[in-house]
Amino acid sequence: MDPRRGARVVIDPKVRQVGFFAPGRTQSAPPESSSPPVADNSPAGNSLSPVMIPPPRHASDNLHSARPVLCPPLRRPGDTIPVGSYNPSEFFPGTSPTASFYSKVGDGEFSEDASGAGWTHRGNSGKVASSFPSGGFDLTAVKPSNLTTVSVVNMPPGISVKTRGALIEVQNEQPASSRSLKEKTSKAERRALQEAQRAAKAAAKAEVSKAPIAASGVATPVNAKPAKASKPSSQKKDSASVTASEKKGVDRPPEKDRKKDIPHPRMQFDDKSRVEKAKRRAVVRPIEVRNRVELFRHLPQYERGTLLPDLESKFFQLDPMHPAVYKVGLQYLAGDVSGGNARCIAMLHAFQEAIKDYSTPPEKTLVRDLTARISSYVSFLIECRPLSISMGNAIRFLKSRIAKLPLSLSESEAKASLQSDINRFINEKIVLADKVIVRHAVTKIRDGDVLLTYGSSSAVEMILLYAHELGKQFRVVVVDSRPKLEGQLLLRRLVGKGLSCTYTHINAVSYIMHEVTRVFLGASSVLSNGTVYSRVGTACVSMVAHAFRVPVLVCCEAYKFHERVQLDSICSNELGDPDAISKVPGREEINYLDDWAKSENLQLLNLIYDATPSDYVSMIITDYGMVPPTSVPVIVREYRREHLWI
Amino acid sequence: MTAELLRSVISQQRVPYNNQAGALIDAIKAVGEQLIAANPVELAVGNIVRRVLHIIREEDLSLATAAVAGLNLSAVSDDEDDGEREDHPVLSAAAVAAAARSTLRPPSLQTLLEDMPDSAAVPQSSSSGGDSEGKSKSADKSSRSRKLKHDIIEAVNELIQDIATCHEQISEQAVEHIHQNEVILTLGRSRTVMEFLCAAKEKKRSFRVFVAEGAPRYQGHVLAKELVARGLQTTLITDSAVFAMISRVNMVIVGAHAVMANGGVIAPVGLNMVALAAQRHAVPFVVLAGTHKLCPLYPHNPEVLLNELKSPSELLDFGEFSDCMDFGSGNGSPLLHVVNPAFDYVPPKLVSLFITDTGGHNPSYMYRLIADYYSADDLVVQRRPASGN
């Protein structure tokens, strides 16, 4: 688990600066490490293995044998790693990440922390202490929040003790040996880190935006973390974070920017070990899902139904969560708030509340602690429902604003500026953007048109209403699909406003498409290869429209654009409640599948999104104007630049 | 399934059989008209009526040939055929096909067959009074033998048998089309599809099935339940997820409501969407249909575009939307329309393969099968009642 956090850290820009110390340190090491005495290392390796490594790993022998080989490349992290660091795969949490820290501790760099934690052994020399620990702490603080699933798992005390024991042993050894050990492990570590990164990726989006912070305050790691963490675990984290920071520092410098460009890989839920870990860290304990669909094992399975009552009951127990955030989380869970814009706005308002009530704990800097806090909120929200891409972008924005707060600002000023930033984001990127989109789109509606829309998109609804206000004569076809039937709500609102509507289900879309002249669709996100990621069924509608030569106009605010690319709807998606499929509201006679969960062979699949290939889309209407889908990457790039300048 | 209905149709038709062939045809036409009028969308009914008519004619003719062996009608028939082509441009394709076909039947019989339709079709198209002429002609022929009725009944029984067993015959071919670990998608429920899949399962093929639920009738739920009962790996998806899933599907297998002469398919609503998605991802789109679903009409005929619009209550809760429904009633037309069609038309270019009880066929080959099963003048018979309605 530690390695993961470490990985997280790697992502974080803050760490970088801290990391710079590391190279110097590591460089000193080389001579020693070149000839590591195997015997010395072995005890440490053995002792560590039980702690860090899941059962199969036990073979400490492997470690030994591996060492000599590994050492040289690892040796100079600064030289070899820089590129790789960005690549998540390089970090491997594997065998003994802790070993590395401990070895360091032995060197005495970590001394302050160690003492604080109550470790008996101090480092041989407290050389680096002041600067280094701070870096480590930053990482720790950030990490828990960053990890989506995360939060701290309480480690059984026994483990922590063991690690300490191991640590002690290491320390006793000569510093040189310890170092070598650490280096050996480092490759494995990297990989571990990388994995961790993946695990954290959901949260990762948000984090990416953070700018490096130079601050070297004294932060006590334990405090920074969400309350859940128990002490021993926190210590571990610290150590882990330290290692991570080192690496990062080494790797980092040149490629900051590029790193940002690459979207983080998302958590793959078919990796059992990682899922196990994630589960242990989760605030809520989900019930094991039955009858999974084989093809979608990599996605988080739907478990909201069981989560809701559980979370509700805990409403007053979770200290670290701000009530406003908690409320929003529950709303997501219950489905009260849905739709990309609504969810995003709800989340931002909740953050606003949280920032208002926030006060920096003593001994911490606002920037770091608040970022950590936000990240922990985000991970909670993700537990409630996976983030939409628009929300990821908004979080990224917020974090970058936090990171860029001038240090000179007082706390209240900083808070005020953040709140106004959030307001500005909501107004500019969502409300105003919608208005602009409406203006653009209305020009595409002519008298006598028959407009088809699918599901319920707030932007499309505004367009239709505005066109109606302008006195245009047109008809609307609302196409709907199970199980959400959001179209019915839209239909009701439109009819209430006096628009002439036709309602049908998605199956009949090719029947109705004969008379349609335009298709207006909303989108959850537009990806940079022009793929429109939207409510499931959108692809079907636009495909049929394409086949009937009807233009498809997608309305999407630019803040929902994302640089990720996606080819199909399988790799990344969200699973909804399977029970929603088996039951048909208002049709009690359809009850063939009431006991579907009993039969192993039957799975119900309730996808939430699908990806519409760009060739079905004639035009994307955004707040920057009307563009063909091929121009999306341009918008993404420009948008990010502007974003940074705000 | 319509098979049961058809059986009852035929049993009704047996009643007037004690006549001679001409009278028989008349009677069956009358019954057929009624049946078709009762449900013009149920094309299979018309198909069966045509089949029975065809059988009667055939039996009649075979008897006639036996009696009058040396008749040199064949030369005449060609001329008549040409004349008929001009008279019936709509039918010309079928007629040409019929003329050009090489069936298992002996050539002499075939020419006689052609001859018969011509004589019947021409008068019918010119005027309704012409009917009697055709009938009298056939009546003359039929009078040559008293064996006719018996033969016809036997042939009709055979037809019933065929229809009853078409599922098995279709599903026998399942193993040839489904390989190990195949992923199959289907929509709604069709007994043919279910038996097809089960037959493959019984042959020890293991594969998974995605079933789209087929809203608003949700027959997919029933199918999923049945498949699971037979031990198939089944995943039920919403109709909207079809496009998302189709990229992981190896084959789409669906049933049909009717197969048109051009190879197009009248199918449960939603299948056009599925077919388009399948085409996009180059997934074979296979239609299972018994030959009784072959309809000798071309979908350009307006009556085939006839779709059945079902009750809006399947889509919307009346109670909930009653206020919307009468919202605009003050100014004449309501603001809210609900469209709930029952069928989709899938054009032939989207269909990869038809599997019928006589084997697999291309969409472009359908006209040929139709010529095998129907005689050309029956198309006209069919059309009259439809237009009469």
Side-chain angles (χ1 to χ4, degrees):
Chain A
M1 320 204 60
D2 295 352
R4 259 185 218 162
R5 278 161 207 162
R8 222 344 133 44
V9 174
V10 174
I11 299 172
D12 218 7
K14 287 180 191 175
V15 178
R16 285 175 202 163
Q17 293 189 347
V18 175
F20 285 115
F21 296 102
R25 224 189 287 147
T26 53
Q27 283 173 355
S28 66
E32 303 163 356
S33 60
S34 60
S35 62
V38 176
D40 293 345
N41 295 336
S42 64
N46 294 338
S47 63
L48 290 177
S49 63
V51 177
M52 303 310 306
I53 307 168
R57 264 310 170 69
H58 258 313
S60 58
D61 301 342
N62 295 341
L63 293 179
H64 299 300
S65 63
R67 278 178 200 169
V69 178
L70 293 179
C71 291
L74 296 179
R75 162 56 49 80
R76 318 223 164 197
D79 301 341
T80 57
I81 303 178
V83 177
S85 67
Y86 294 106
N87 206 353
S89 62
E90 294 207 348
F91 298 100
F92 189 79
T95 57
S96 60
T98 52
S100 66
F101 317 129
Y102 292 119
S103 64
K104 274 179 198 167
V105 174
D107 293 350
E109 296 169 356
F110 205 85
S111 60
E112 281 192 0
D113 294 345
S115 63
W119 287 350
T120 54
H121 243 309
R122 272 223 165 172
N124 297 341
S125 61
K127 315 162 188 173
V128 190
S130 65
S131 64
F132 187 62
S134 66
F137 289 133
D138 292 348
L139 296 177
T140 59
V142 175
K143 278 186 219 161
S145 59
N146 293 344
L147 293 183
T148 57
T149 41
V150 181
S151 53
V152 183
V153 178
N154 297 337
M155 304 285 298
I159 292 177
S160 63
V161 173
K162 274 186 191 171
T163 59
R164 280 180 203 163
L167 168 91
I168 293 170
E169 287 181 4
V170 175
Q171 287 174 343
N172 292 341
E173 296 168 5
Q174 293 176 353
S177 67
S178 66
R179 226 173 250 168
S180 65
L181 169 73
K182 143 194 153 186
E183 287 175 355
K184 294 166 199 166
T185 56
S186 64
K187 208 175 211 177
E189 281 180 13
R190 277 184 222 151
R191 263 177 230 157
L193 288 182
Q194 164 191 10
E195 279 188 4
Q197 273 186 337
R198 271 190 213 140
K201 78 189 144 175
K205 295 173 204 164
E207 302 165 2
V208 176
S209 60
K210 287 183 204 165
I213 298 171
S216 62
V218 180
T220 56
V222 176
N223 295 340
K225 290 172 202 164
K228 310 158 196 171
S230 66
K231 279 232 170 174
S233 65
S234 69
Q235 283 186 354
K236 259 195 184 176
K237 266 193 214 161
D238 296 349
S239 59
S241 65
V242 173
T243 56
S245 68
E246 281 184 1
K247 274 176 199 164
K248 186 180 294 171
V250 177
D251 311 341
R252 235 333 140 56
E255 282 170 3
K256 243 190 228 181
D257 295 339
R258 211 207 273 167
K259 183 221 266 173
K260 273 191 188 169
D261 291 348
I262 304 169
H264 299 276
R266 279 149 286 174
M267 167 103 171
Q268 301 299 312
F269 282 78
D270 47 353
D271 184 325
K272 278 200 186 136
S273 63
R274 247 179 286 141
V275 169
E276 276 306 309
K277 288 178 189 172
K279 250 189 222 158
R280 267 184 275 153
R281 274 171 292 156
V283 179
V284 197
R285 221 149 280 270
I287 291 180
E288 194 57 39
V289 181
R290 304 148 301 179
N291 296 14
R292 298 178 175 203
V293 180
E294 195 60 41
L295 213 45
F296 288 94
R297 278 186 186 277
H298 62 287
L299 295 178
Q301 303 295 313
Y302 180 91
E303 50 219 8
R304 254 172 272 157
T306 59
L307 280 187
L308 187 54
D310 191 20
L311 273 186
E312 272 171 348
S313 64
K314 283 196 206 159
F315 188 86
F316 299 104
Q317 299 169 12
L318 284 182
D319 326 326
M321 220 46 70
H322 190 279
V325 177
Y326 204 80
K327 192 178 96 188
V328 170
L330 290 184
Q331 280 172 333
Y332 289 172
L333 207 50
D336 293 343
V337 176
S338 64
N341 286 341
R343 279 170 69 196
C344 191
I345 291 176
M347 178 190 73
L348 287 174
H349 280 314
F351 285 169
Q352 229 175 349
E353 287 288 308
I355 290 175
K356 203 168 84 184
D357 298 341
Y358 170 83
S359 65
T360 314
E363 311 266 296
K364 288 189 186 177
T365 57
L366 177 136
V367 171
R368 269 187 224 130
D369 186 54
L370 186 57
T371 311
R373 198 63 77 79
I374 295 284
S375 303
S376 72
Y377 294 158
V378 170
S379 62
F380 167 75
L381 291 181
I382 290 174
E383 275 172 35
C384 294
R385 182 174 167 189
L387 291 186
S388 69
I389 288 174
S390 59
M391 292 164 73
N393 283 340
I395 293 167
R396 202 202 279 194
F397 164 82
L398 178 60
K399 287 197 174 171
S400 80
R401 298 307 304 165
I402 295 175
K404 282 184 188 162
L405 285 176
L407 289 175
S408 55
L409 281 184
S410 74
E411 186 181 309
S412 60
E413 282 171 335
K415 280 161 62 181
S417 98
L418 283 180
Q419 290 183 43
S420 74
D421 276 340
I422 292 178
N423 271 333
R424 200 153 47 86
F425 185 89
I426 294 176
N427 279 330
E428 278 181 18
K429 298 299 174 198
I430 304 179
V431 179
L432 277 180
D434 276 338
K435 283 189 181 147
V436 176
I437 289 176
V438 168
R439 290 287 142 78
H440 283 308
V442 161
T443 63
K444 295 294 167 199
I445 300 180
R446 293 172 305 196
D447 280 349
D449 266 349
V450 179
L451 310 178
L452 183 144
T453 184
Y454 174 71
S456 172
S457 155
S458 56
V460 172
E461 185 181 350
M462 280 186 275
I463 291 167
L464 298 176
L465 292 179
Y466 184 68
H468 185 65
E469 277 172 28
L470 291 184
K472 304 212 176 195
Q473 297 298 316
F474 60 92
R475 227 150 47 77
V476 180
V477 179
V478 179
V479 179
D480 206 353
S481 80
R482 288 241 305 142
K484 288 207 161 188
L485 296 178
E486 295 162 311
Q488 292 192 358
L489 302 176
L490 176 69
L491 179 70
R492 178 172 280 281
R493 290 192 294 262
L494 292 180
V495 171
K497 289 278 166 64
L499 277 81
S500 161
C501 294
T502 304
Y503 177 83
T504 190
H505 269 190
I506 190 168
N507 272 342
V509 68
S510 45
Y511 174 88
I512 203 78
M513 195 59 81
H514 288 283
E515 47 192 86
V516 172
T517 56
R518 298 248 186 300
V519 176
F520 279 92
L521 298 172
S524 166
S525 176
V526 177
L527 309 180
S528 73
N529 58 347
T531 301
V532 175
Y533 186 68
S534 188
R535 165 75 60 215
V536 66
T538 305
C540 282
V541 172
S542 44
M543 172 186 68
V544 174
H546 181 76
F548 283 81
R549 310 280 190 273
V550 178
V552 177
L553 293 85
V554 173
C555 309
C556 182
E557 299 85 354
Y559 86 101
K560 292 178 176 174
F561 286 33
H562 198 270
E563 66 264 22
R564 185 199 297 162
V565 292
Q566 198 173 325
L567 287 176
D568 60 21
S569 317
I570 314 270
C571 293
S572 145
N573 212 318
E574 185 182 334
L575 300 183
D577 182 4
D579 284 325
I581 294 189
S582 64
K583 297 191 192 97
V584 182
R587 304 275 300 275
E588 279 78 19
E589 72 273 16
I590 297 171
N591 53 1
Y592 314 105
L593 299 175
D594 280 351
D595 50 353
W596 65 276
K598 283 183 202 154
S599 52
E600 281 181 10
N601 285 333
L602 179 62
Q603 298 106 21
L604 303 189
L605 175 63
N606 184 5
L607 284 182
I608 304 287
Y609 296 108
D610 67 9
T612 308
S614 60
D615 48 344
Y616 291 156
V617 179
S618 324
M619 179 194 280
I620 294 176
I621 305 178
T622 136
D623 31 337
Y624 291 89
M626 295 178 274
V627 299
T630 47
S631 300
V632 172
V634 181
I635 301 251
V636 170
R637 200 181 62 217
E638 295 298 317
Y639 181 76
R640 189 186 310 131
R641 186 185 298 163
E642 179 203 333
H643 205 111
L644 294 177
W645 284 346
I646 286 178
Chain B
M1 292 298 290
T2 51
E4 288 81 13
L5 174 68
L6 301 176
R7 225 171 288 169
S8 73
V9 168
I10 294 166
S11 64
Q12 280 181 34
Q13 285 166 350
R14 249 184 244 160
V15 179
Y17 277 0
N18 46 8
N19 268 329
Q20 289 152 355
L24 255 183
I25 291 174
D26 246 4
I28 290 177
K29 272 182 192 170
V31 174
E33 273 181 39
Q34 282 180 4
L35 284 169
I36 292 163
N39 191 355
V41 182
E42 203 61 47
L43 294 167
V45 176
N47 295 342
I48 293 305
V49 174
R50 290 188 195 105
R51 288 283 287 274
V52 173
L53 288 173
H54 179 61
I55 287 170
I56 296 170
R57 288 177 202 279
E58 210 167 287
E59 293 297 337
D60 184 21
L61 284 172
S62 65
L63 287 172
T65 35
V68 194
L71 216 60
N72 56 353
L73 270 175
S74 56
V76 183
S77 72
D78 282 346
D79 300 338
E80 276 184 356
D81 205 357
D82 290 342
E84 184 241 343
R85 229 174 280 164
E86 288 157 17
D87 290 343
H88 305 278
V90 184
L91 291 183
S92 62
V96 170
R101 73 190 166 183
S102 59
T103 42
L104 301 174
R105 296 189 197 107
S108 67
L109 174 57
Q110 181 190 340
T111 52
L112 282 171
L113 261 173
E114 234 90 286
D115 184 29
M116 260 305 286
D118 295 343
S119 59
V122 173
Q124 276 171 7
S125 67
S126 57
S127 73
S128 59
D131 270 350
S132 59
E133 189 190 337
K135 268 173 239 160
S136 65
K137 192 174 174 182
S138 58
D140 288 342
K141 285 181 184 172
S142 61
S143 63
R144 286 171 200 157
S145 169
R146 311 302 304 169
K147 217 180 126 201
L148 178 64
K149 179 190 156 195
H150 179 69
D151 286 350
I152 290 177
I153 289 178
E154 219 157 70
V156 171
N157 277 336
E158 219 167 89
L159 176 62
I160 296 175
Q161 195 83 29
D162 276 355
I163 294 171
T165 59
C166 79
H167 298 303
E168 287 126 64
Q169 284 174 339
I170 292 177
S171 52
E172 267 173 22
Q173 306 166 55
V175 199
E176 298 169 25
H177 296 282
I178 297 178
H179 63 69
Q180 196 73 19
N181 290 333
E182 183 124 8
V183 180
I184 292 168
L185 183 137
T186 184
L187 181 142
R189 173 178 178 273
S190 152
R191 193 175 123 201
T192 323
V193 171
M194 195 198 68
E195 294 194 357
F196 191 80
L197 296 176
C198 292
K201 172 72 178 172
E202 279 160 17
K203 301 272 171 57
K204 306 297 177 208
R205 290 287 147 82
S206 78
F207 52 94
R208 0 184 76 252
V209 183
F210 285 104
V211 181
E213 60 184 0
R217 275 163 279 286
Y218 305 108
Q219 291 293 300
H221 292 202
V222 188
L223 178 63
K225 197 175 185 185
E226 288 167 345
L227 290 179
V228 167
R230 312 272 182 114
L232 276 164
Q233 278 287 324
T234 309
T235 304
L236 185 70
I237 63 175
T238 55
D239 302 320
S240 48
V242 163
F243 189 88
M245 298 309 301
I246 198 120
S247 58
R248 297 298 181 274
V249 167
N250 300 128
M251 181 157 52
V252 179
I253 297 181
V254 295
H257 176 69
V259 178
M260 310 311 292
N262 67 344
V265 180
I266 305 288
V269 68
L271 273 184
N272 189 35
M273 189 176 76
V274 177
L276 283 170
Q279 187 196 37
R280 159 89 188 186
H281 290 91
V283 176
F285 186 85
V286 178
V287 176
L288 306 184
T291 43
H292 62 279
K293 289 185 175 175
L294 277 179
C295 176
L297 301 176
Y298 284 81
H300 316 290
N301 298 343
E303 74 259 23
V304 174
L305 285 184
L306 261 189
N307 210 331
E308 200 174 2
L309 291 179
K310 303 242 172 166
S311 160
S313 64
E314 290 181 332
L315 300 188
L316 284 181
D317 190 357
F318 269 133
E320 217 175 299
F321 277 83
S322 54
D323 52 332
C324 298
M325 296 280 186
D326 56 15
F327 201 88
S329 57
N331 46 16
S333 62
L335 280 176
L336 177 59
H337 297 264
V338 177
V339 178
N340 183 12
F343 302 115
D344 249 357
Y345 171 64
V346 182
K349 63 173 182 180
L350 298 181
V351 181
S352 317
L353 188 67
F354 284 101
I355 298 181
T356 68
D357 38 4
T358 59
H361 302 289
N362 255 0
S364 56
Y365 189 72
M366 279 299 127
Y367 77 91
R368 178 70 188 69
L369 282 183
I370 282 164
D372 279 354
Y373 289 113
Y374 306 104
S375 48
D377 63 336
D378 293 336
L379 304 184
V380 181
V381 173
Q382 180 55 39
R383 182 177 308 153
R384 255 197 337 160
S387 61
N389 287 309

Coordinates of all heavy atoms in Angstrom, one line a residue, chain A residues 352 397 401 417-432 645-646:
Chain A
Q352 N -17.0 24.7 -2.3 CA -17.0 26.1 -1.9 C -17.4 26.1 -0.4 O -16.7 26.8 0.4 CB -18.1 26.8 -2.7 CG -17.6 28.1 -3.3 CD -18.6 28.7 -4.1 OE1 -19.7 28.1 -4.5 NE2 -18.4 30.0 -4.5
F397 N -9.0 22.1 -12.2 CA -9.0 23.6 -12.2 C -8.8 24.1 -10.8 O -7.9 24.9 -10.5 CB -10.3 24.1 -12.8 CG -10.5 25.5 -12.5 CD1 -9.9 26.5 -13.2 CD2 -11.4 25.9 -11.5 CE1 -10.2 27.9 -12.9 CE2 -11.6 27.2 -11.2 CZ -11.0 28.2 -11.9
R401 N -5.8 26.2 -9.0 CA -5.9 27.5 -8.4 C -5.4 27.5 -7.0 O -4.7 28.4 -6.6 CB -7.4 27.8 -8.3 CG -8.1 28.0 -9.6 CD -7.4 28.9 -10.6 NE -7.2 30.2 -10.0 CZ -6.4 31.2 -10.4 NH1 -5.7 30.9 -11.5 NH2 -6.4 32.3 -9.9
S417 N -10.5 34.1 -2.4 CA -10.2 34.1 -3.8 C -10.5 32.7 -4.4 O -11.0 32.6 -5.5 CB -8.7 34.4 -4.0 OG -7.9 33.2 -4.1
L418 N -10.4 31.7 -3.6 CA -10.8 30.4 -4.1 C -12.3 30.3 -4.4 O -12.7 29.8 -5.4 CB -10.4 29.3 -3.1 CG -8.9 28.9 -3.1 CD1 -8.6 27.8 -2.1 CD2 -8.5 28.5 -4.5
Q419 N -13.0 30.8 -3.4 CA -14.5 30.8 -3.6 C -14.9 31.6 -4.9 O -15.8 31.1 -5.6 CB -15.2 31.3 -2.4 CG -15.0 30.4 -1.2 CD -15.8 30.9 0.0 OE1 -16.9 31.3 -0.2 NE2 -15.2 30.8 1.1
S420 N -14.2 32.7 -5.0 CA -14.6 33.5 -6.2 C -14.1 32.7 -7.5 O -14.8 32.8 -8.5 CB -14.0 34.9 -6.2 OG -12.7 34.8 -6.4
D421 N -13.0 32.1 -7.4 CA -12.6 31.3 -8.5 C -13.6 30.2 -8.9 O -13.9 30.0 -10.1 CB -11.3 30.6 -8.2 CG -10.1 31.5 -8.4 OD1 -10.3 32.5 -9.2 OD2 -9.0 31.2 -7.8
I422 N -14.1 29.6 -7.9 CA -15.1 28.5 -8.2 C -16.4 29.1 -8.8 O -16.9 28.6 -9.8 CB -15.5 27.8 -6.9 CG1 -14.3 27.0 -6.4 CG2 -16.7 26.9 -7.1 CD1 -14.5 26.3 -5.1
N423 N -16.8 30.3 -8.2 CA -17.9 30.9 -8.8 C -17.7 31.3 -10.3 O -18.5 31.1 -11.1 CB -18.3 32.2 -8.1 CG -19.2 31.9 -6.9 OD1 -20.0 30.9 -7.0 ND2 -19.2 32.7 -5.9
R424 N -16.5 31.7 -10.5 CA -16.2 32.2 -11.8 C -16.2 31.0 -12.8 O -16.6 31.0 -13.9 CB -14.8 32.8 -11.9 CG -14.5 33.7 -13.1 CD -13.5 34.8 -12.7 NE -12.4 34.3 -12.0 CZ -11.3 33.8 -12.6 NH1 -11.2 33.7 -13.9 NH2 -10.3 33.3 -11.9
F425 N -15.6 29.9 -12.3 CA -15.6 28.7 -13.1 C -17.1 28.3 -13.5 O -17.4 28.0 -14.6 CB -14.9 27.5 -12.4 CG -14.8 26.3 -13.2 CD1 -13.6 26.1 -14.0 CD2 -15.8 25.3 -13.2 CE1 -13.5 25.0 -14.7 CE2 -15.6 24.2 -14.0 CZ -14.5 24.0 -14.7
I426 N -17.9 28.2 -12.5 CA -19.3 27.8 -12.7 C -19.9 28.8 -13.7 O -20.6 28.4 -14.7 CB -20.1 27.8 -11.4 CG1 -19.6 26.7 -10.5 CG2 -21.6 27.6 -11.7 CD1 -20.2 26.7 -9.2
N427 N -19.7 30.1 -13.5 CA -20.3 31.0 -14.4 C -19.8 31.0 -15.8 O -20.5 30.9 -16.8 CB -20.2 32.5 -13.8 CG -21.2 32.7 -12.7 OD1 -22.3 32.2 -12.8 ND2 -20.8 33.5 -11.8
E428 N -18.5 31.0 -15.9 CA -17.9 31.1 -17.2 C -18.0 29.9 -18.0 O -18.4 29.8 -19.1 CB -16.4 31.5 -17.1 CG -16.2 33.0 -16.9 CD -14.7 33.4 -16.8 OE1 -13.9 32.5 -17.2 OE2 -14.4 34.4 -16.3
K429 N -17.6 28.8 -17.3 CA -17.4 27.6 -18.0 C -18.7 26.8 -18.2 O -18.8 26.0 -19.1 CB -16.4 26.7 -17.3 CG -15.1 27.2 -17.2 CD -14.5 27.5 -18.5 CE -13.1 28.2 -18.4 NZ -12.8 28.9 -19.7
I430 N -19.7 27.0 -17.4 CA -20.9 26.3 -17.5 C -22.1 27.1 -17.9 O -22.7 27.0 -18.9 CB -21.2 25.5 -16.2 CG1 -20.0 24.7 -15.8 CG2 -22.4 24.7 -16.3 CD1 -20.1 23.9 -14.5
V431 N -22.3 28.1 -17.1 CA -23.6 28.9 -17.3 C -23.4 29.7 -18.6 O -24.2 29.6 -19.5 CB -23.9 29.8 -16.1 CG1 -25.1 30.7 -16.4 CG2 -24.1 29.0 -14.9
L432 N -22.3 30.5 -18.6 CA -22.2 31.3 -19.8 C -21.9 30.5 -21.1 O -22.4 30.8 -22.2 CB -21.0 32.3 -19.6 CG -21.3 33.6 -18.9 CD1 -20.1 34.4 -18.7 CD2 -22.4 34.3 -19.6
W645 N -3.9 30.1 -17.6 CA -3.6 31.6 -17.5 C -4.6 32.2 -16.5 O -4.4 33.3 -16.1 CB -3.7 32.3 -18.8 CG -2.5 32.0 -19.7 CD1 -1.3 31.6 -19.2 CD2 -2.4 32.3 -21.0 NE1 -0.5 31.5 -20.2 CE2 -1.1 31.9 -21.4 CE3 -3.2 32.8 -22.0 CZ2 -0.6 32.0 -22.7 CZ3 -2.8 32.9 -23.3 CH2 -1.4 32.5 -23.6
I646 N -5.7 31.6 -16.4 CA -6.8 32.3 -15.6 C -6.2 32.9 -14.3 O -5.5 32.2 -13.6 CB -7.9 31.3 -15.2 CG1 -8.7 31.0 -16.5 CG2 -8.7 31.8 -14.1 CD1 -9.8 30.0 -16.2

